Amino acid sequence: MKSQNSKVVSYLLLKKVLLPLCFLLTACESLDFSDCIIRKDAELPDKDLKRGHAGQYYYDELKASVNNDPDDDGYYYNFSIAESLPEGLDVIVDGRYVIFEGITLKKGQYNIYISLGVDPYEYDDEEGDIDVCSIGNTSRRYKLIIGD
């Protein structure tokens, strides 16, 4: 009886796990599963925004990235920004940059919440990799101070 159960378990393991895995690995030559071993996450810089002065031009930028990937330009950066900026200051998204610029007359402290998700570019050529692993999202709160 034990031998019969062992054969059934071996058959199920072969049918349900090993055969689909072999098919996946041989049919998808361009997939690089080694990328799944080292986790990749979207990152926003851990920095304070520059302090601004009322009535003067303000400029600062944040550069997003993907950790553990030297080619972090190879992604679409999807920002969600909730801000309470004073009149005269604008938020501009340009690729992987979030830019704050303009002139405001209003002094105060302003909170900016940024969420970031990234998606890899898709490659159609034979040499391009297809990323099958998910990339972690992130969010961060920034504080902008406009003084005298």
Side-chain angles (χ1 to χ4, degrees), residues 23-78:
F23 174 74
L24 180 65
L25 292 176
T26 58
C28 302
E29 294 174 5
S30 65
L31 297 179
D32 187 359
F33 289 98
S34 65
D35 286 346
C36 297
I37 296 170
I38 300 173
R39 182 168 168 78
K40 296 178 185 176
D41 291 305
E43 288 188 337
L44 290 165
D46 182 16
K47 72 170 216 166
D48 294 328
L49 292 175
K50 294 177 189 172
R51 184 180 176 97
H53 301 281
Q56 295 182 10
Y57 179 74
Y58 180 85
Y59 180 91
D60 201 358
E61 64 185 26
L62 302 171
K63 182 179 181 183
S65 60
V66 175
N67 71 345
N68 296 321
D69 192 343
D71 183 27
D72 51 2
D73 281 324
Y75 294 87
Y76 293 107
Y77 288 80
N78 307 304

Side-chain angles (χ1 to χ4, degrees), residues 76-97:
Y76 293 107
Y77 288 80
N78 307 304
F79 294 96
S80 175
I81 303 170
E83 29 77 17
S84 60
L85 291 179
E87 186 178 332
L89 288 184
D90 295 315
V91 177
I92 300 164
V93 174
D94 184 14
R96 57 194 276 201
Y97 291 90

Side-chain angles (χ1 to χ4, degrees), residues 122-134:
E122 301 258 345
Y123 296 100
D124 293 332
D125 62 4
E126 290 180 20
E127 296 174 15
D129 292 331
I130 300 172
D131 196 339
V132 296
C133 304
S134 64

Side-chain angles (χ1 to χ4, degrees), residues 94-115:
D94 184 14
R96 57 194 276 201
Y97 291 90
V98 178
I99 300 166
F100 304 92
E101 71 173 337
I103 299 173
T104 185
L105 300 175
K106 293 188 176 187
K107 295 182 277 185
Q109 179 175 306
Y110 304 93
N111 291 312
I112 303 162
Y113 299 92
I114 300 177
S115 296

